[in-house]
Amino acid sequence: RYAESDQQVEATILFLASDPQNNFEPQVLREDDLVLLTNGIGGMARLCVDLGRVKSKYDCVLGANLHSSLPVDRHIFAKRIRIWVNADGFISPLDLKNLASFEPGPPAIWSFLALAGDGHTVEIEVRAEMLEGQNTTVFHFSRPTAAQASGKQLPADADVRLTVRVDIEDRNFHWETKRNGAAEIHFSSNTRRLEQQIGFIFMPASDRQLRVVTNDGEYHPAPEWSENIPHPIEASRGQTGSGDAFSPGWFELPLPTGANTTLAVTAEPDYAIEKLASNFKLQSEPAHNAFEKDLLKAAHAFVVRRDRGKSVIAGYPWFLDWGRDTFIAARGLLAAGMVEDVKKILVTFARFEKDGTLPNTIHGADASNRDTSDAPLWFGILCEELAALSAVNFYATPVDEAGRTIRDVLQSIAANYIKGTPNGIQMDADSALVWSPSHFTWMDTNHPAGTPREGYPIEIQALWIRLLRQLTKIAEPAEQKKWSSLADRALASVEKLFWLEDRGWFADVLLAKPRIIARDAQASDALRSNCLFTVSLGLVSGERAQRCVQAAQQYLVVPGALRSLAPLPVSVPLPINANGGGLLNDPKNPYWPRYEGDEDTRRKPAYHNGTAWTWTFPVFCEALAQAWNFSPDAIGAARAYLGSARRLMNENCLGQIPEVLDGDAPHMQRGCDAQAWGVTETLRVWKLLQR
């Protein structure tokens, strides 16, 4: 590789397929691969494909949401499930060594082919799912008949039984369980065998209880602690690298040929295993291929209730519902045909609008964090796209008891951006561009201030112009000219002030302190993915659009993701300082290749300065097709690029798309295992390219 310093590089070439395929075969699965199950109310199960294995404190059989109506921090009740098969006296664990096939679902399905002595094998299927609207994870165990099974099976009358242990905890999912005298008393004194059901109950409080029950077999009380269960993910982040768990006993489940047995792990006080039924239903548009079908399944995992409405969990395992993430993700939910869900999401958040602001993050009922300049503008994009699909006038939809409508909320956002919001967002009257405080965009990491972007960020202007044009169409006739004129002025300012002719892309931000007009700001020459929004949102076309896309193609694209900063020197320095003030990077060469190590001095500085993001990658693919007017060649290229996201779904959290990757090869998956907008943006743009 010939550059300023020549290198010999050895790497794998990824050939791009127009129709990507999944690859969940056991021979390519890894012991760290996992599967995510959710319940539509904020709970989750996060299970390693290698059943019984744990790699993180966030791995769990049941991470329940104990709030009756809002998504809040998950409570870990069950850490893991361990299963052994006793096949006519030959005992072996069900794990990756005897896994014959796997499907991440939901429901997740393991097919095991375990040794049974004398060359015989026994086939066991394990099916796991979370019940919609319940803090309940259910395991179905089955053994096929001889006609259905493969290999040299045991005789039909051979005795086959499963031994199952569920290791439990009682903690917030950010904490750890440690065995000590108090913990031993806590678990032993609050656990007892059930009389009317087969299983046990752990009940440390009247409003906090766990039951593990089966519909067949026996439960044997036999307390056992597992200590120092490794948590390598946390260890790599400099956090506590292990945890403990308690198992009050074990289940003996007979499994004759053709039998089916169920085990439920539930925090529901009125759960009845007798009424159990598999409940996963995919309610959306039909899929055209396996890639699209898997994206549709993945997208459903993030939609949750919020009071009477709906919201979107930004990512599993640790995020809750965020304003910006919700609106971006909901664009893909619209593409999936979930129109009514998206309408509920918009009405839910419209009620939170105040003085032009919307929540950046929501913690339970607390929506006071409004440090975002883009969430209200993404809200506008989503309203525009939903209105185009509605048979009725969506803008007239009432949102609160005061009688405000969606149109009123959009006009309030624009009016307050013009005069200035309480949190500091304000339009520059000279240019009609919007000034944003530090850390108010999606690149919002602070402490240290890795990407402050104080001033006039490029994507904020693109979103602002789209809102103004939307208001031009829906406002009263007397006001339409005002909004149209502002949109035209803002677009002219973008073309004049942001374009860097010698570089071939739009500046990421016009750096400016408060009350500095855009004309007097300093244009950053750092190449970031944000300049692509001018193209994907349809504001810029022709040669400039194509040059932007080509720059991103050359410097930002990695398989399935887009670097947040190009590995190029910059003339406008980008210093990153530690909390104590010391410099952490080379301001003239700010690219940071790997997202790993200490949070404040390593991961946060890398987060938006080279780390590759999955949610902006579809934006690149959309911009590629748009810049060349959706020609057949451009669409084919965009589909091939976008299909490279399939490799991410075949690794780590199977069937999902992670939050970020390292900017440098081998592009390790980092951050959240399953990120809403990575999935939904891939789905949205894939369906767009289909059309």
Side-chain angles (χ1 to χ4, degrees):
R1 184 166 69 186
Y2 299 97
E4 292 181 0
S5 58
D6 299 340
Q7 295 176 283
Q8 179 174 329
V9 180
E10 294 184 5
T12 300
I13 294 177
L14 177 66
F15 290 89
L16 302 181
S18 59
D19 189 10
Q21 300 298 315
N22 63 24
N23 195 358
F24 302 131
E25 296 305 314
Q27 62 267 25
V28 298
L29 292 175
R30 304 169 307 164
E31 62 181 10
D32 286 344
D33 287 334
L34 54 88
V35 64
L36 172 72
L37 304 171
T38 63
N39 62 359
I41 58 174
M44 71 173 185
R46 191 169 179 264
L47 307 166
C48 280
V49 173
D50 190 7
L51 274 178
R53 178 176 167 79
V54 170
K55 67 173 185 176
S56 168
K57 67 182 178 182
Y58 297 104
D59 293 350
C60 60
V61 169
L62 179 60
N65 173 25
L66 298 181
H67 198 285
S68 61
S69 59
L70 303 175
V72 297
D73 278 356
R74 292 155 204 111
H75 190 88
I76 302 297
F77 270 126
K79 187 182 192 77
R80 64 178 177 176
I81 186 170
R82 293 177 286 159
I83 309 169
W84 298 262
V85 58
N86 185 335
D88 215 16
F90 198 94
I91 301 173
S92 55
L94 298 186
D95 57 21
L96 201 59
K97 294 184 182 69
N98 49 37
L99 183 64
S101 67
F102 178 74
E103 175 61 44
I109 304 171
W110 292 257
S111 291
F112 295 98
L113 196 62
L115 296 177
D118 295 328
H120 290 97
T121 58
V122 60
E123 192 166 340
I124 306 291
E125 182 181 278
V126 180
R127 182 181 296 249
E129 65 177 333
M130 288 200 85
L131 300 190
E132 186 75 16
Q134 295 187 41
N135 289 305
T136 302
T137 305
V138 178
F139 294 89
H140 306 274
F141 306 101
S142 61
R143 183 181 166 205
T145 63
Q148 299 168 319
S150 58
K152 184 181 177 183
Q153 291 290 304
L154 282 173
D157 59 351
D159 182 35
V160 176
R161 297 172 177 271
L162 297 181
T163 296
V164 179
R165 271 195 181 270
V166 176
D167 298 321
I168 69 172
E169 298 188 79
D170 182 25
R171 62 172 173 88
N172 178 282
F173 75 149
H174 294 305
W175 302 349
E176 296 277 9
T177 296
K178 290 297 180 182
R179 181 183 184 182
N180 52 39
E184 289 182 350
I185 293 172
H186 177 72
F187 284 99
S188 62
S189 63
N190 291 305
T191 307
R192 61 178 172 83
R193 183 175 186 164
L194 289 166
E195 299 297 331
Q196 304 301 319
Q197 292 178 304
I198 306 170
F200 68 85
I201 183 171
F202 169 65
M203 190 172 179
S206 59
D207 60 347
R208 195 170 86 249
Q209 59 180 271
L210 171 74
R211 279 189 291 169
V212 181
V213 293
T214 181
N215 64 344
D216 193 14
E218 295 182 57
Y219 169 68
H220 303 275
E224 174 186 284
W225 276 90
S226 296
E227 298 184 68
N228 296 316
I229 301 170
H231 294 164
I233 297 297
E234 281 67 46
S236 72
R237 294 171 177 157
Q239 301 169 355
T240 302
S242 66
D244 305 337
F246 174 72
S247 173
W250 57 279
F251 291 85
E252 184 180 7
L253 309 178
L255 209 61
T257 301
N260 291 275
T261 301
T262 296
L263 181 86
V265 182
T266 180
E268 300 295 330
D270 55 353
Y271 176 81
I273 196 167
E274 297 79 11
K275 299 179 180 179
L276 179 68
S278 181
N279 73 328
F280 179 78
K281 297 180 179 65
L282 191 63
Q283 297 175 339
S284 57
E285 292 185 355
H288 291 88
N289 58 22
F291 184 43
E292 186 174 325
K293 181 180 178 181
D294 289 342
L295 287 169
L296 286 167
K297 278 190 174 185
H300 277 263
F302 301 97
V303 180
V304 295
R305 64 147 193 236
R306 170 166 279 281
D307 289 327
R308 294 166 295 163
K310 294 282 187 177
S311 186
V312 173
I313 296 295
Y316 290 97
W318 49 71
F319 290 145
L320 295 176
D321 44 347
W322 292 33
R324 168 197 309 118
D325 298 51
T326 293
F327 305 138
I328 294 172
R331 299 180 74 198
L333 299 182
L334 276 183
M338 300 167 65
V339 176
E340 286 304 310
D341 283 335
V342 173
K343 184 175 180 180
K344 290 177 182 178
I345 289 169
L346 283 170
V347 172
T348 295
F349 275 86
R351 297 190 186 108
F352 286 114
E353 191 274 334
K354 184 178 181 183
D355 299 324
T357 68
L358 284 170
N360 181 38
T361 62
I362 308 177
H363 297 277
D366 181 7
S368 60
N369 181 344
R370 293 172 179 260
D371 295 348
T372 168
S373 54
D374 50 0
L377 302 177
W378 280 115
F379 174 87
I381 292 288
L382 187 57
C383 287
E384 182 180 352
E385 292 178 348
L386 178 60
L389 297 175
S390 299
V392 297
N393 182 5
F394 169 70
Y395 294 110
T397 303
V399 300
D400 55 28
E401 295 178 356
R404 292 198 309 163
T405 65
I406 292 291
R407 180 187 289 105
D408 295 331
V409 171
L410 292 171
Q411 289 178 329
S412 174
I413 292 169
N416 280 282
Y417 270 46
I418 291 171
K419 73 178 183 180
T421 63
N423 57 357
I425 305 164
Q426 185 160 12
M427 189 190 79
D428 167 30
D430 177 69
S431 63
L433 300 178
V434 169
W435 184 88
S436 172
S438 179
H439 305 298
F440 269 43
T441 72
W442 76 273
M443 292 184 164
D444 57 2
T445 304
N446 54 16
H447 308 297
T451 44
R453 304 181 79 220
E454 182 181 44
Y456 302 87
I458 184 65
E459 81 276 16
I460 298 299
Q461 315 316 318
L463 293 165
W464 170 239
I465 294 166
R466 280 286 295 264
L467 176 61
L468 294 173
R469 288 184 171 172
Q470 184 179 183
L471 290 173
T472 300
K473 298 175 184 176
I474 68 173
E476 296 296 328
E479 293 193 334
Q480 289 178 358
K481 186 176 181 180
K482 175 185 73 173
W483 299 122
S484 176
S485 175
L486 279 175
D488 291 344
R489 287 179 54 212
L491 182 56
S493 296
V494 166
E495 292 273 17
K496 179 180 179 181
L497 301 177
F498 281 85
W499 181 249
L500 305 174
E501 178 61 31
D502 59 331
R503 294 282 190 158
W505 58 75
F506 286 97
D508 178 65
V509 59
L510 305 180
L511 297 165
K513 293 296 182 182
R515 292 176 294 281
I516 300 297
I517 64 174
R519 275 192 295 121
D520 296 336
Q522 183 179 33
S524 168
D525 62 337
L527 173 60
R528 297 189 184 275
S529 56
N530 301 305
C531 67
L532 293 171
F533 288 106
T534 62
V535 183
S536 67
L537 292 173
L539 303 179
V540 175
S541 59
E543 181 189 1
R544 287 187 174 183
Q546 293 175 1
R547 290 180 68 187
C548 260
V549 170
Q550 288 170 331
Q553 186 181 40
Q554 183 172 1
Y555 296 113
L556 300 181
V557 169
V558 306
L562 209 63
R563 289 181 178 125
S564 47
L565 178 67
L568 296 170
V570 295
S571 58
V572 178
L574 201 166
I576 302 176
N577 295 298
N579 289 335
L583 191 65
L584 294 175
N585 74 333
D586 176 357
K588 289 283 190 167
N589 295 277
Y591 173 73
W592 203 299
R594 287 187 169 80
Y595 182 74
E596 60 185 352
D598 175 70
E599 183 173 16
D600 282 345
T601 62
R602 303 294 299 175
R603 280 186 285 138
K604 282 187 176 179
Y607 205 34
H608 299 297
N609 293 308
T611 297
W613 287 72
T614 60
W615 87 271
T616 54
F617 184 64
V619 175
F620 160 77
C621 299
E622 181 180 19
L624 190 159
Q626 184 128 339
W628 277 269
N629 300 315
F630 291 96
S631 69
D633 283 349
I635 291 173
R639 279 173 54 92
Y641 272 110
L642 190 55
S644 68
R646 164 57 89 182
R647 67 182 285 273
L648 305 179
M649 302 176 74
N650 293 344
E651 301 171 2
N652 198 29
C653 189
L654 302 181
Q656 288 286 351
I657 292 179
E659 179 185 12
V660 294
L661 317 176
D662 284 340
D664 274 8
H667 308 297
M668 293 287 293
Q669 294 191 21
R670 308 285 189 180
C672 269
D673 299 308
Q675 190 81 351
W677 55 7
V679 169
T680 57
E681 278 293 270
T682 302
L683 175 62
R684 179 184 68 83
V685 176
W686 184 260
K687 291 183 75 69
L688 169 69
L689 297 173
Q690 295 258 34
R691 294 195 300 271

